[in-house]
Amino acid sequence: MIKFSEIKKSFLVSLWFMFLTFPIMVIRVNPIEKTVQWRWRNMMIIGIGSFLLSFVWRFMLERKESGQKKADVFGIHKISFIQRILQEPKIYIPLLIVTGVFAIVFPFIFSAYQTNIMITALMYVMLGLGLNIVVGLAGLLDLGYVAFYAVGAYSYALLNYHFGLGFWTVLPIGAVLGVIFGILLGFPVLRLRGDYLAIVTLGFGEIIRLILENWNEFSFGPSGIANIPRPGFFGIEFSLQSATNYIYYMMIGLTLFTIFVVNRLQNSRIGRAWMALREDEVACQAMGIDKTKTKLTAFALGATWAGMVGVIFAAKTTFINPASFTFLESAMILSIVVIGGMGSIIGVVIGALILILLPEYLRAFSDYRMMLFGAILVIMMVFRPQGIISNVRRTYKFQGKQQ
Amino acid sequence: MEYFLELFLGGLTRGSIYALIALGYTMVYGIIELINFAHGEIYMIGAFTALIVASVLTLFGLNQIAILVLASITAVIYSAAYGFTVEKIAYKPLRHAQRLSPLISAIGMSIFLQNYVLLAQTSDFLPFPSLIPDFEFWEAYSHIIGSAELVILITTTIVMILLTFLIKFTKIGKAMRATAQDRNMAMLVGVNVNQVISMTFIIGSALAAVGGVLIASHIGMINFYIGFIAGIKAFTAAVLGGIGSIPGAVLGSLVLGLTESFATGYVSSDYEDVFAFALLVLILIFRPAGILGRSTTQKV
């Protein structure tokens, strides 16, 4: 039974939103012909929509709060359903096999278009995992990650254009350039904390993009570089279809390699140093961890993957220009890490797949998809701030008998 | 010399616009330590509201001053309302979440608002009516500084003085300062923290709307994307001055405006934004807490 006060509250909310959206949603001015169009129907939609949504919003908020209280009172941290699945070998091994088989046969079932989307998604998985090192593990908020991605892409395009170097030669060069730029960015920002770091990295990303846009002699400016060759395979020429499949399998391999490396890094000495740094910088230094070295390795190792994916991006699209490396891209990669669950590898993988595939399949609502994307980010953070899969801390269980 | 003066005044104008937006960032940051990425969008919505109201009123045939006043007031009210609502929806439920969540929520809000205006209005650049009239008595000096720029400078100065007064001498200003210093302690001594935070968003958004109307009628073009770059610049200015500090935001904005103006005037206009960010990086390397920011020692 819905109480009267609830209805009143929702009614007020809907009135407020009708007021709020009035000038932008209802009036449309054509300044050239000097005509005004009044769209009262929109107001009605907003009114009814916000009336209904406010019930849902309050219900969800209440549910979230009561859930939190329960956890506080009983001291139990509820392990989510997904985590329970992941901890049960009987479930996750078959699941892994099914996913693996699906990944292998994917290009044969679906069209080249679908395969292309999947390649993009896998690229973002790698980018997400790379940024996860910087943001998720070391806790350094990097808003200019796309700069390293741009460095990789342009290094392939330019080295190929001037010196005719092939994809496989440039792939490691791209990674190394990523490392160099990571350290280059890392040095000046070593002393900065939190949000200062965020804005400087953002500035760094923008500087790289603006230089690429304006330095015509070097980067061919906003018109970009076209006709970048696709990756070769011992000199064999591919048709477009098989080239796509080839890049797809290469991406699967590289993604697995990334997951393997990141996983090993996470549990290594340096990985634990990152996590210590994230938790408390001062205490971490007191434990004898070299702050400078740890931060720099985080930046460098994070940027490596972006450099590599940049090379792949250039090879896949065969055309690059600075417009592909805007702040929105950085925000996208950061959203992948945060929505997936910071510090959790499987979370980042799932986050990347959702965030890249969702807009692709939302094309039916093509106009609304970016708006929906924004809304999903907000809703996700409000109702599940820890991400889809929250990172579980390593704990040691004592197996001895309890008396 | 005259060229120098022209660039100097141009830089001051630009800087004072940045200051109006940067104040919103710095006030919000001072109180809840959040980079409010949606702030640039609030500014954009202010400009759009002013444009819509001004166009409708022009059709009714009001005179220019009345249109300017009414459009500005509506823009301020609507921006404040948007700021308030954004805080209630996207930030309030996240008060106690970890640091990155409100930031992502803010980025989401920013994308949402941009596309909301894009869909409800248009993706094209709209011509903004030049609401600020040309003064006759200023004709003699207009080669150095136009009357629109003069109005911008004067309005900004008045707004700054009012804001300083509000923060220093009123009850809500005192409550804001208390909340910025220590939120829990402020709560203990009976400050309604939620109200203070809402108020901060309202004031910050209203300032952004003033900036939006001024700059839009100065430049004469708006579209749904203007909020992003203005927001980034203003935030850079706030950080430059030391984020959380109100005089710092103003100083940082002026420094940024002047740097950009001189750099475009003497070096090259292509790299205007590069200079802005390079300046930021340089200052933060030597003064990690900004020009006026206090460097805090972290306690363990």
Side-chain angles (χ1 to χ4, degrees), chain B residues 262-297:
Chain B
F262 285 126
T264 44
Y266 287 121
V267 191
S268 154
S269 62
D270 289 347
Y271 290 100
E272 177 193 319
D273 296 352
V274 175
F275 285 115
F277 291 121
L279 175 77
L280 174 82
V281 173
L282 278 181
I283 288 197
L284 287 185
I285 291 168
F286 295 109
R287 273 196 70 85
I291 303 173
L292 290 187
R294 282 167 297 144
S295 57
T296 47
T297 355

Coordinates of all heavy atoms in Angstrom, one line a residue, chain B residues 262-297:
Chain B
F262 N 48.4 36.8 -23.4 CA 49.7 37.2 -23.9 C 50.3 36.2 -24.8 O 50.9 36.5 -25.8 CB 50.7 37.5 -22.7 CG 50.4 38.8 -22.0 CD1 50.2 38.8 -20.6 CD2 50.3 40.0 -22.7 CE1 49.9 40.0 -20.0 CE2 50.1 41.2 -22.1 CZ 49.8 41.2 -20.8
A263 N 50.0 34.9 -24.4 CA 50.6 33.8 -25.3 C 50.0 33.9 -26.7 O 50.7 33.8 -27.7 CB 50.3 32.5 -24.6
T264 N 48.7 34.1 -26.7 CA 48.1 34.2 -28.1 C 48.5 35.4 -28.8 O 48.7 35.4 -30.0 CB 46.5 34.1 -28.0 OG1 46.1 35.0 -27.0 CG2 46.0 32.8 -27.7
G265 N 48.7 36.5 -28.0 CA 49.1 37.8 -28.7 C 50.5 37.8 -29.2 O 50.8 38.3 -30.2
Y266 N 51.4 37.2 -28.4 CA 52.8 37.4 -28.7 C 53.4 36.1 -29.4 O 54.4 36.2 -30.1 CB 53.7 37.7 -27.5 CG 53.4 39.2 -27.1 CD1 53.0 39.5 -25.8 CD2 53.7 40.2 -27.9 CE1 52.8 40.8 -25.4 CE2 53.5 41.5 -27.5 CZ 53.1 41.8 -26.3 OH 52.9 43.1 -25.9
V267 N 52.8 34.9 -29.1 CA 53.5 33.7 -29.6 C 52.6 33.1 -30.7 O 52.9 33.4 -31.9 CB 53.7 32.7 -28.5 CG1 54.6 31.5 -29.0 CG2 54.4 33.3 -27.3
S268 N 51.6 32.4 -30.4 CA 50.8 31.8 -31.4 C 49.4 31.4 -30.9 O 49.3 31.0 -29.7 CB 51.5 30.5 -31.9 OG 50.6 29.6 -32.5
S269 N 48.4 31.6 -31.7 CA 47.1 31.4 -31.1 C 46.7 29.9 -31.2 O 45.8 29.4 -30.6 CB 46.0 32.2 -31.9 OG 46.1 31.7 -33.3
D270 N 47.5 29.1 -31.9 CA 47.2 27.7 -32.0 C 47.4 27.0 -30.7 O 46.7 26.0 -30.4 CB 48.1 27.0 -33.1 CG 47.7 27.4 -34.5 OD1 46.7 28.0 -34.6 OD2 48.5 27.2 -35.4
Y271 N 48.3 27.5 -29.9 CA 48.7 26.7 -28.7 C 48.2 27.3 -27.4 O 48.7 27.1 -26.4 CB 50.3 26.6 -28.7 CG 50.8 25.7 -29.7 CD1 51.3 26.2 -30.9 CD2 50.7 24.3 -29.6 CE1 51.8 25.3 -31.9 CE2 51.2 23.5 -30.5 CZ 51.7 24.0 -31.7 OH 52.2 23.1 -32.6
E272 N 47.1 28.1 -27.6 CA 46.5 28.8 -26.4 C 46.3 27.8 -25.2 O 46.7 28.1 -24.1 CB 45.2 29.4 -26.9 CG 44.4 30.1 -25.8 CD 43.0 30.4 -26.3 OE1 42.9 30.8 -27.5 OE2 42.1 30.2 -25.6
D273 N 45.6 26.7 -25.5 CA 45.3 25.8 -24.4 C 46.6 25.1 -23.9 O 46.7 24.8 -22.7 CB 44.3 24.8 -24.9 CG 43.0 25.4 -25.3 OD1 42.9 26.6 -25.0 OD2 42.1 24.7 -25.8
V274 N 47.5 24.9 -24.8 CA 48.8 24.2 -24.4 C 49.5 25.1 -23.3 O 49.9 24.6 -22.3 CB 49.7 24.0 -25.6 CG1 51.0 23.4 -25.1 CG2 49.1 23.0 -26.5
F275 N 49.5 26.4 -23.6 CA 50.1 27.3 -22.6 C 49.4 27.2 -21.3 O 50.0 27.2 -20.2 CB 50.1 28.8 -23.1 CG 51.1 29.0 -24.2 CD1 50.7 29.3 -25.4 CD2 52.4 28.9 -23.9 CE1 51.6 29.6 -26.4 CE2 53.4 29.2 -24.9 CZ 52.9 29.5 -26.2
A276 N 48.1 27.2 -21.3 CA 47.3 27.1 -20.1 C 47.7 25.9 -19.2 O 48.0 26.0 -18.1 CB 45.8 27.1 -20.4
F277 N 47.7 24.7 -19.9 CA 48.0 23.5 -19.2 C 49.5 23.4 -18.8 O 49.8 22.9 -17.7 CB 47.6 22.3 -20.0 CG 46.2 22.2 -20.1 CD1 45.6 22.1 -21.4 CD2 45.4 22.1 -19.0 CE1 44.2 22.1 -21.5 CE2 44.0 22.0 -19.1 CZ 43.4 22.0 -20.4
A278 N 50.4 24.0 -19.7 CA 51.8 23.9 -19.3 C 52.1 24.8 -18.1 O 52.8 24.4 -17.2 CB 52.6 24.4 -20.5
L279 N 51.4 26.0 -18.0 CA 51.5 26.8 -16.8 C 51.1 26.1 -15.6 O 51.7 26.1 -14.6 CB 50.6 28.1 -17.0 CG 50.6 29.0 -15.9 CD1 51.9 29.8 -15.8 CD2 49.4 29.9 -16.0
L280 N 50.0 25.4 -15.7 CA 49.5 24.6 -14.6 C 50.5 23.6 -14.1 O 50.8 23.5 -12.9 CB 48.2 23.9 -15.0 CG 47.6 22.9 -14.0 CD1 46.8 23.7 -12.9 CD2 46.8 21.9 -14.6
V281 N 51.0 22.8 -15.1 CA 52.0 21.8 -14.7 C 53.2 22.4 -14.0 O 53.6 22.0 -13.0 CB 52.4 21.0 -15.9 CG1 53.5 20.0 -15.6 CG2 51.2 20.2 -16.5
L282 N 53.7 23.5 -14.6 CA 54.9 24.2 -14.0 C 54.6 24.7 -12.6 O 55.4 24.4 -11.7 CB 55.3 25.4 -14.9 CG 56.1 25.0 -16.1 CD1 56.4 26.3 -16.9 CD2 57.3 24.3 -15.7
I283 N 53.5 25.3 -12.4 CA 53.2 25.9 -11.0 C 53.0 24.7 -10.1 O 53.6 24.8 -8.9 CB 51.9 26.8 -11.1 CG1 52.3 28.0 -11.8 CG2 51.4 27.0 -9.7 CD1 51.4 29.2 -11.6
L284 N 52.4 23.7 -10.5 CA 52.2 22.6 -9.5 C 53.5 21.8 -9.2 O 53.6 21.3 -8.1 CB 51.1 21.6 -10.0 CG 49.7 22.1 -10.0 CD1 48.7 21.1 -10.4 CD2 49.4 22.6 -8.6
I285 N 54.4 21.9 -10.1 CA 55.7 21.2 -9.8 C 56.4 22.0 -8.7 O 56.9 21.4 -7.7 CB 56.6 21.1 -11.0 CG1 56.0 20.1 -12.0 CG2 58.0 20.7 -10.7 CD1 56.6 20.2 -13.4
F286 N 56.3 23.3 -8.8 CA 57.1 24.1 -7.8 C 56.3 24.4 -6.6 O 56.8 24.6 -5.5 CB 57.6 25.4 -8.4 CG 58.7 25.0 -9.5 CD1 58.4 25.2 -10.8 CD2 59.9 24.5 -9.1 CE1 59.3 24.9 -11.8 CE2 60.8 24.2 -10.1 CZ 60.5 24.4 -11.4
R287 N 54.9 24.5 -6.7 CA 54.1 24.7 -5.6 C 52.9 23.8 -5.6 O 51.8 24.1 -6.1 CB 53.6 26.2 -5.5 CG 54.5 27.2 -4.9 CD 53.7 28.4 -4.6 NE 52.7 28.2 -3.5 CZ 53.0 28.3 -2.2 NH1 54.2 28.6 -1.8 NH2 52.1 28.1 -1.3
P288 N 53.1 22.5 -5.1 CA 52.1 21.5 -5.3 C 50.8 21.8 -4.8 O 49.8 21.2 -5.2 CB 52.7 20.3 -4.6 CG 54.2 20.6 -4.5 CD 54.3 22.1 -4.4
A289 N 50.6 22.8 -4.0 CA 49.3 23.1 -3.4 C 48.7 24.3 -4.1 O 47.7 24.9 -3.6 CB 49.3 23.3 -1.9
G290 N 49.2 24.8 -5.2 CA 48.7 26.0 -5.9 C 49.3 27.2 -5.3 O 50.0 27.2 -4.4
I291 N 49.0 28.4 -5.9 CA 49.6 29.6 -5.5 C 49.2 30.0 -4.1 O 50.1 30.3 -3.3 CB 49.2 30.8 -6.5 CG1 49.5 30.4 -7.9 CG2 49.9 32.0 -6.1 CD1 49.0 31.4 -8.9
L292 N 48.0 30.0 -3.8 CA 47.6 30.4 -2.4 C 47.2 29.2 -1.5 O 46.7 29.4 -0.4 CB 46.4 31.4 -2.5 CG 46.6 32.7 -3.1 CD1 45.4 33.6 -2.9 CD2 47.8 33.4 -2.4
G293 N 47.3 28.0 -2.0 CA 46.9 26.9 -1.2 C 47.8 26.6 -0.1 O 49.0 26.9 -0.2
R294 N 47.2 26.2 1.0 CA 48.1 25.8 2.1 C 48.5 24.3 1.9 O 47.7 23.5 1.5 CB 47.3 25.8 3.4 CG 47.1 27.2 4.0 CD 46.1 27.2 5.1 NE 44.8 26.8 4.5 CZ 43.9 26.0 5.2 NH1 44.2 25.6 6.4 NH2 42.8 25.7 4.6
S295 N 49.8 24.1 2.1 CA 50.2 22.7 2.0 C 50.0 22.0 3.3 O 50.4 22.5 4.4 CB 51.7 22.6 1.6 OG 52.4 23.3 2.6
T296 N 49.2 21.0 3.3 CA 48.9 20.3 4.5 C 49.8 19.1 4.7 O 50.2 18.4 3.8 CB 47.4 19.8 4.4 OG1 47.3 19.1 3.2 CG2 46.4 20.9 4.5
T297 N 50.2 19.0 6.0 CA 50.9 17.8 6.3 C 50.0 16.7 6.6 O 49.0 16.9 7.4 CB 51.8 18.0 7.5 OG1 51.7 19.4 7.9 CG2 53.3 17.7 7.2

